Amino acid sequence: MALLEADIDGVYFAVPSSFTEADERRLVAEAAATLPVGIKLEYEGRYQAMLSHEIKNYALLTYDGKLIVHGSGLRNSQSPPFAARFLTEALAHLLRDDIASVVGLYLTTVRALRQRKYPLTDVATSTRLTKSSGDYQRSRSRLHEGQYEALLDAGRTHWEVGENVRYYKAKGGRYVWLPYEPDEIDDAQAGDNGVAPPPGAARRVGDRRDYDIKHYLHLLDTSYLSRLRKPFREEDFERLFSDKAQGLLLDRWLTTIHHRWIEASGREWSGLG
């Protein structure tokens, strides 16, 4: 077998393609029998494919086609909705070795950003405040943080730790507070000391699309597309997702590129198995 990932309480292996679930369970039972007293080994499950981004951050594809994503490196509650959707859909295509769909999704996302097709709620970040207004004012000379700058720019000078704030980066580098609509506010979003937006505040900004396109394109590439880099050879990744690749989706070479798979011998190879 080939070890794919190991952490404190679990291991993932690639097994020979001929293995059935019964073979896997037998193997786990045999390994468990060799372990010291007090250490228990159990069979968790089997999957078609796995992307191990880093320890405890991975994506799995079940045999019935379900995608399981684990870890803040691949699923983060502070991700802008457009970026979270991109990464989830891209991982599903990637684990099915559907590289053309990954590229197509990326180009569609880039076009949507450049044409400002996303509403502000799709590019905004939601985060829970960890600094009080006083604490931030004392640290502001050393570091400007978007969520607090957005509140100050909106005229708010007081807030408490625990409030949930939604904001985005606008043209010109400004951070803008995007208050929740009344029907979006609940204890989980606002926090125990949350502040409801002034009447009509969300409606005043909700239809604008003045976000910083360059910033969000950079965010897409460096924080989300980059999560897909590991399975590819460097030259293939650059061919697929560089500016030069745009418009070349149907080129013949695209159909020849697959991500790298690890087989049970531990050997890397490209292609489907």
Side-chain angles (χ1 to χ4, degrees):
M1 299 185 296
L3 177 65
L4 301 179
E5 179 180 311
D7 54 45
I8 294 173
D9 57 1
V11 290
Y12 288 87
F13 289 98
V15 299
S17 58
S18 60
F19 264 39
T20 64
E21 181 176 341
D23 292 323
E24 294 167 359
R25 288 184 177 277
R26 173 184 52 77
L27 191 64
V28 169
E30 290 175 357
T34 70
L35 298 177
V37 174
I39 298 179
K40 187 177 181 181
L41 184 64
E42 296 180 338
Y43 180 83
E44 179 186 280
R46 65 198 310 256
Y47 308 94
Q48 289 191 61
M50 176 182 187
L51 169 65
S52 178
H53 172 59
E54 56 188 27
I55 296 298
K56 289 189 177 294
N57 286 266
Y58 52 80
L60 301 165
L61 183 67
T62 67
Y63 276 90
D64 60 2
K66 180 182 177 183
L67 178 70
I68 299 172
V69 181
H70 183 85
S72 60
L74 296 177
R75 185 187 296 276
N76 192 318
S77 62
Q78 295 185 16
S79 296
F82 89 91
R85 289 196 304 270
F86 165 79
L87 186 55
T88 299
E89 293 176 26
L91 286 170
H93 294 314
L94 186 67
L95 291 180
R96 294 183 177 94
D97 200 41
D98 186 357
I99 307 304
S101 291
V102 178
V103 177
L105 176 65
Y106 172 70
L107 296 180
T108 297
T109 304
V110 167
R111 284 194 295 270
L113 285 170
R114 288 177 171 167
Q115 297 171 13
R116 299 186 188 278
K117 291 185 176 181
Y118 292 123
L120 294 182
T121 52
D122 261 2
V123 300
T125 296
S126 294
T127 187
R128 195 172 296 275
L129 302 182
T130 59
K131 296 178 182 178
S132 68
S133 48
D135 289 339
Y136 182 65
Q137 289 289 8
R138 286 187 286 274
S139 65
R140 193 183 182 201
S141 61
R142 301 190 302 273
L143 177 66
H144 283 196
E145 298 179 60
Q147 60 270 43
Y148 305 106
E149 292 300 313
L151 294 176
L152 292 172
D153 186 71
R156 287 191 55 185
T157 58
H158 180 76
W159 58 82
E160 298 290 344
V161 172
E163 179 181 346
N164 192 283
V165 171
R166 182 170 60 180
Y167 69 100
Y168 69 97
K169 191 169 187 179
K171 292 184 294 186
R174 288 177 53 236
Y175 289 101
V176 179
W177 179 36
L178 184 64
Y180 293 104
E181 296 278 6
D183 61 357
E184 293 180 293
I185 298 175
D186 57 30
D187 291 342
Q189 291 170 316
D192 294 337
N193 299 308
V195 178
R203 289 188 291 276
R204 289 197 297 270
V205 299
D207 292 333
R208 291 209 313 264
R209 302 195 179 191
D210 59 341
Y211 47 85
D212 185 333
I213 293 174
K214 185 176 180 180
H215 167 76
Y216 286 103
L217 287 172
H218 180 71
L219 181 71
L220 175 66
D221 284 352
T222 58
S223 297
Y224 298 93
L225 179 64
S226 62
R227 301 292 196 268
L228 310 178
R229 182 180 292 271
K230 183 179 288 187
F232 292 96
R233 291 187 173 85
E234 189 65 28
E235 61 270 22
D236 287 342
F237 187 87
E238 294 302 325
R239 289 176 72 191
L240 289 170
F241 300 108
S242 68
D243 289 339
K244 295 178 182 179
Q246 298 191 29
L248 301 179
L249 185 58
L250 298 179
D251 269 13
R252 182 175 300 177
W253 60 263
L254 179 61
T255 62
T256 69
I257 294 179
H258 301 277
H259 51 57
R260 295 178 296 178
W261 295 86
I262 297 177
E263 62 179 18
S265 66
R267 209 167 37 88
E268 287 187 354
W269 59 281
S270 293
L272 290 172

